[in-house]
Every structure is written in C-alpha cells, then in structure tokens.
Amino acid sequence: MRELAGIAALLTGLWLAAAEAGFRTPESLVRNVYAHYGDGAPELSKGLPRDAATARHFFDAPLRKAWSAPQVEPYDFLVQSPSWQLGPVTIAVVRRQYDKTYVAANFDNRGRKVALNFVLVDGPEGWLITDIESAHDSLRMFLEQFRK
C-alpha cells in the first residue's frame, strides 16, 4: 500500500513539474508572452526575459537554447521594435495542422501595426512555442542571425 502511495505521489509531482513548463491553451501562452510588455509591474514591463527558466516555460526544447543564448539583436522580435508601447493585443487560433497550432497575435506598437503568427506545439509539458513568424522572418532565423 505504501509503495502504491509513493508511486502516486511521484507521478503527481512529475505531472505538476510538467504542467509548470507550458500552458494549458494556445491563447494563454501568447497572452502570457505579451504580459511582459506592459506598463504595469516593473518585472513584467521589460520584455520576455532571456533566462533559462523563462525559456523552459515558453519554448520547446530546440528553441530554448537559442532564446537564452547571448544575443546582439537590433530589436525585440516579439514586438518588432527596440522599444514598445503596445495597444490591445488580439489573439486568435487561425489553424490547427497535425501537431502544430498557429495563433495570430495582432497589436499596435507606437502607432505601427504588428502581426505575428505563433507556431505552437502541445506536448507533455503543455503548450510551447516552436517558432514565431513575421511577414519577413521567423524567430528561429532571427536568433540564429544575431547570436554571438
């Protein structure tokens, strides 16, 4: 009986650890990205952090290392600018294709319209970003281009 309780506790702990990594819905993932670009609390107004914990929480394994690696980027890809003052962010699932879901994020940044497509995967860790596409680039290509 104790062994069964121990196994159940272990599985519960693993499930909770996995749930901490990703998000429960594609929309909540994108909403939480842009929560880091507001005018509210200082810790949530500096853009999405580049540390390993944030990378593990938001990105799939292949993109985590690139996100937290040292960069010399001319602008923040997630807002398409070196600075930001975002208007309302609209988020909509636009396509579900095999194991990926595409979520459009549209907003105004200092009077300039920005449209990005988040490519998300749902795995054991929850929803995670596998790439983000702009009209001219993708996050993966951008990070590769400007890595040190």
Side-chain angles (χ1 to χ4, degrees), residues 57-113:
H57 192 65
F58 284 90
F59 300 101
D60 69 351
L63 195 52
R64 288 175 189 158
K65 185 176 178 183
W67 179 256
S68 55
Q71 305 289 326
V72 288
E73 302 158 353
Y75 61 93
D76 186 325
F77 188 87
L78 299 174
V79 292
Q80 300 285 295
S81 175
S83 62
W84 55 86
Q85 185 173 10
L86 304 185
V89 179
T90 60
I91 300 165
V93 173
V94 292
R95 182 172 70 223
R96 295 182 194 277
Q97 184 176 22
Y98 304 107
D99 64 334
K100 295 179 180 157
T101 295
Y102 295 78
V103 177
N106 296 284
F107 53 90
D108 185 85
N109 184 11
R110 298 190 184 271
R112 193 174 129 253
K113 293 197 180 303

